[in-house]
Amino acid sequence: MVMRIYHETNEFLEQCFHALEKPLPAPVLKKLGESPVLRYLEAHQGLELAIVQKLARYISGLNAALLLLDSGYTQELGVIFRTLDEFQEDIVFLALPIVGGIERGEAHKKYLADFFQEEFDNPNNPILSTQKREAVSRKKIRAVIANSGKNNLNPHDSRELSRTISQTYGGYVHGASCHICEMIGGDPLHYYLSGMAGTPRQVEFAYNYWDYAYRGLISVVLAAKALGDAEVVEKGCKYIEHFEIVTGDTGSGDAEKLMKKVKRKNA
């Protein structure tokens, strides 16, 4: 049942995304060095376009995560979860000046400049490229979100919760020993190198996937609000209710409850 609703949710997210991208200007072909590439015109490189592009990565990541979950590749799934954390934060950060009532400040301008910048200023010889990225720090992005007042936590707790989640899944990206040990099981003990299907790890990550599917739905609704698509907002809100009923869980107040639980545990 749970895997079926996850697949259904991803299909719904794709439908919503295509509705959101349809009215946007299409990228155009241009020459980058000797190669033709698709790029958006500078006049179109605003918050709305960046939101849609980040949403594309989030939904694609959810689809990839579901394939990994089906096969029990939990280590690799943890890596995907880590990227989804940042994509979702980026979507909220980018949407706040449009729907959150905050000013579009230097952090947003700097973010967009870095986001749309080419990777190399000498595409025919990347080694000779001299440009460097000046990305807005993750700490700054979380601070803007936390200080916006658009969540159930005070700014300090909001930042700490984001940092803790990031650190948890960061261990899968960097290959920390404590996470690699999760690949060991069976009798006699051995490393699972072809996924952990049928083990408690797969069940654990199926439970964790709920959060990312739910946040995907929230991200679609937020993106639709930023792009002024009332129809997708309405459909998204109705589907969230459906998702909560089918899964028997709700995201309402989860951040606050999780932080209280963490604090009690530490105490």
Side-chain angles (χ1 to χ4, degrees):
M1 170 65 77
V2 68
M3 296 301 287
R4 186 161 66 247
I5 187 61
Y6 288 164
H7 283 281
E8 176 192 297
T9 298
N10 286 4
E11 291 176 4
F12 175 79
L13 290 172
E14 286 192 45
Q15 292 171 8
C16 290
F17 177 85
H18 291 312
L20 293 176
E21 71 163 332
K22 191 173 182 180
L24 293 178
V28 297
L29 273 174
K30 62 174 285 188
K31 252 322 190 36
L32 187 64
E34 299 301 318
S35 304
V37 296
L38 285 171
R39 293 291 187 271
Y40 289 96
L41 296 176
E42 185 175 351
H44 301 148
Q45 295 176 6
L47 292 169
E48 292 85 355
L49 178 57
I51 290 170
V52 169
Q53 288 199 283
K54 286 293 183 176
L55 185 61
R57 279 300 310 271
Y58 193 100
I59 296 174
S60 175
L62 269 184
N63 282 327
L66 200 50
L67 290 174
L68 293 171
L69 180 58
D70 281 335
S71 301
Y73 281 95
T74 56
Q75 294 283 308
E76 294 73 19
L77 185 53
V79 176
I80 297 290
F81 282 171
R82 177 65 179 77
T83 65
L84 296 183
D85 286 331
E86 291 199 3
F87 293 150
Q88 196 255 344
E89 283 180 344
D90 289 345
I91 291 169
V92 175
F93 170 76
L94 292 165
L96 281 173
I98 305 174
V99 300
I102 73 167
E103 182 182 354
R104 174 179 163 172
E106 286 302 315
H108 289 93
K109 296 176 184 178
K110 185 177 179 181
Y111 183 99
L112 291 176
D114 175 73
F115 179 67
F116 289 109
Q117 175 181 293
E118 292 293 345
E119 200 64 53
F120 302 107
D121 56 8
N122 189 342
N124 289 328
N125 195 332
I127 293 177
L128 297 180
S129 292
T130 58
Q131 73 189 54
K132 295 181 180 179
R133 289 195 173 276
E134 297 184 5
V136 178
S137 70
R138 189 55 41 185
K139 183 178 180 180
K140 177 62 176 178
I141 289 173
R142 289 172 183 155
V144 171
I145 295 172
N147 293 329
S148 70
K150 299 299 181 181
N151 53 43
N152 295 326
L153 298 175
N154 63 64
H156 176 268
D157 283 352
S158 177
R159 289 193 298 270
E160 287 303 299
L161 182 57
S162 295
R163 181 190 60 79
T164 301
I165 294 173
S166 174
Q167 184 175 335
T168 298
Y169 287 110
Y172 292 100
V173 176
H174 305 298
S177 175
C178 57
H179 292 299
I180 295 174
C181 283
E182 294 177 7
M183 298 172 66
I184 303 172
D187 186 15
L189 290 174
H190 64 281
Y191 281 92
Y192 285 82
L193 303 180
S194 299
M196 303 193 72
T199 71
R201 293 297 176 199
Q202 186 181 33
V203 176
E204 174 189 345
F205 274 80
Y207 176 80
N208 293 341
Y209 188 95
W210 182 97
D211 183 53
Y212 291 90
Y214 193 88
R215 286 160 66 185
L217 292 167
I218 296 296
S219 296
V220 158
V221 171
L222 183 58
K225 287 182 178 180
L227 272 68
D229 193 322
E231 184 177 351
V232 171
V233 171
E234 183 179 0
K235 287 182 179 179
C237 290
K238 288 182 178 179
Y239 190 90
I240 288 173
E241 294 179 5
H242 167 70
F243 183 80
E244 291 175 345
I245 291 171
V246 172
T247 61
D249 205 347
T250 171
S252 179
D254 279 359
E256 186 175 14
K257 291 177 183 178
L258 178 57
M259 181 53 73
K260 288 180 178 178
K261 181 179 179 181
V262 170
K263 286 182 174 180
R264 285 198 301 271
K265 185 176 181 180
N266 290 340

